Amino acid sequence: MRIYDHFAPRLQRYLAGLSGCEGRAEELTQEALLKLWHKAEQFDPAKASLATWLYRIARNLYIDHVRQDRGWLPAQGSLAALERLEAPADGSLDFSPRQEQKLAAALQALPPDQARVIRMAYFEAMSHRQIADQLHLPLGTVKSSLRLAFRKLRAGVEAPQ
C-alpha cells in the first residue's frame, strides 16, 4: 500500500501528461501497479530503482495502449522516439539512500518560496504558468525562483559531507 500511495498520484500525472486524458491515465496507472504486483519477483534493484522500473512499465503500457487505438499510425514516429528514450547510462536518475537524504536536506534548506515552487513543479507536476497563476506571481519570477532553487539544490547534493 505504501508503494501504491507513493507512486499512484505521480504515475497518474505522468500518464496524463502523455495521453492528455485523465481517465486513460487512471486506468493505465492501475494497470501498471497491478503489473508491478504480479511481477514483483522480476524486480532487480541492481539494474534500476523501483521508480525507474515502474515508470518504464507505465510507459510501455501507454505505448501498447496507443498502438491498439486505430488512429495510432500517425503517432508511430513519435512512439518510436519515445521508446528510444532511456535513463542516462550513468544512473544519475537512481539515487542511493545517502543521495536521497542529501536531497531531502537540501530541499529543507531552501527558502520557503523556492521550496514551494520546486514542490509544485516536480512533485505536483504543475507547469510554470500554473504555478504563476496559483501563487499570483509573474511567470518570470517563478522561473527565476526555480533556477535559484536548482542551483542551491545542486550545491547541497554535490557538497561533500
Side-chain angles (χ1 to χ4, degrees), residues 59 63 67 72 75-86:
R59 183 200 66 179
I63 290 169
R67 284 184 174 156
W72 84 279
Q76 188 172 9
S78 298
L79 288 174
L82 182 63
E83 285 180 334
R84 288 189 299 270
L85 290 177
E86 295 293 332

Side-chain angles (χ1 to χ4, degrees), residues 4-125:
Y4 180 89
D5 290 342
H6 179 78
F7 285 108
R10 290 163 176 80
L11 278 176
Q12 190 164 341
R13 281 191 300 271
Y14 168 72
L15 291 165
L18 290 176
S19 71
C21 175
E22 286 293 326
R24 181 177 297 155
E26 189 174 337
E27 281 180 37
L28 291 172
T29 298
Q30 296 295 326
E31 197 172 333
L33 289 162
L34 186 61
K35 190 170 259 192
L36 172 80
W37 178 261
H38 287 292
K39 296 187 177 212
E41 73 281 351
Q42 294 177 6
F43 174 65
D44 183 359
K47 291 183 179 178
S49 70
L50 178 61
T52 301
W53 193 55
L54 186 54
Y55 276 88
R56 181 164 294 163
I57 289 171
R59 183 200 66 179
N60 291 343
L61 286 170
Y62 170 73
I63 290 169
D64 291 345
H65 180 78
V66 170
R67 284 184 174 156
Q68 290 172 358
D69 188 3
R70 291 178 187 212
W72 84 279
L73 284 176
Q76 188 172 9
S78 298
L79 288 174
L82 182 63
E83 285 180 334
R84 288 189 299 270
L85 290 177
E86 295 293 332
D90 65 359
S92 63
L93 295 179
D94 296 331
F95 293 110
S96 69
R98 182 176 174 87
Q99 289 171 313
E100 288 179 10
Q101 290 171 348
K102 287 176 84 171
L103 179 59
L107 273 169
Q108 289 289 348
L110 287 177
D113 293 344
Q114 291 175 7
R116 184 180 321 133
V117 295
I118 288 286
R119 284 188 184 93
M120 292 171 86
Y122 295 95
F123 298 114
E124 298 173 26

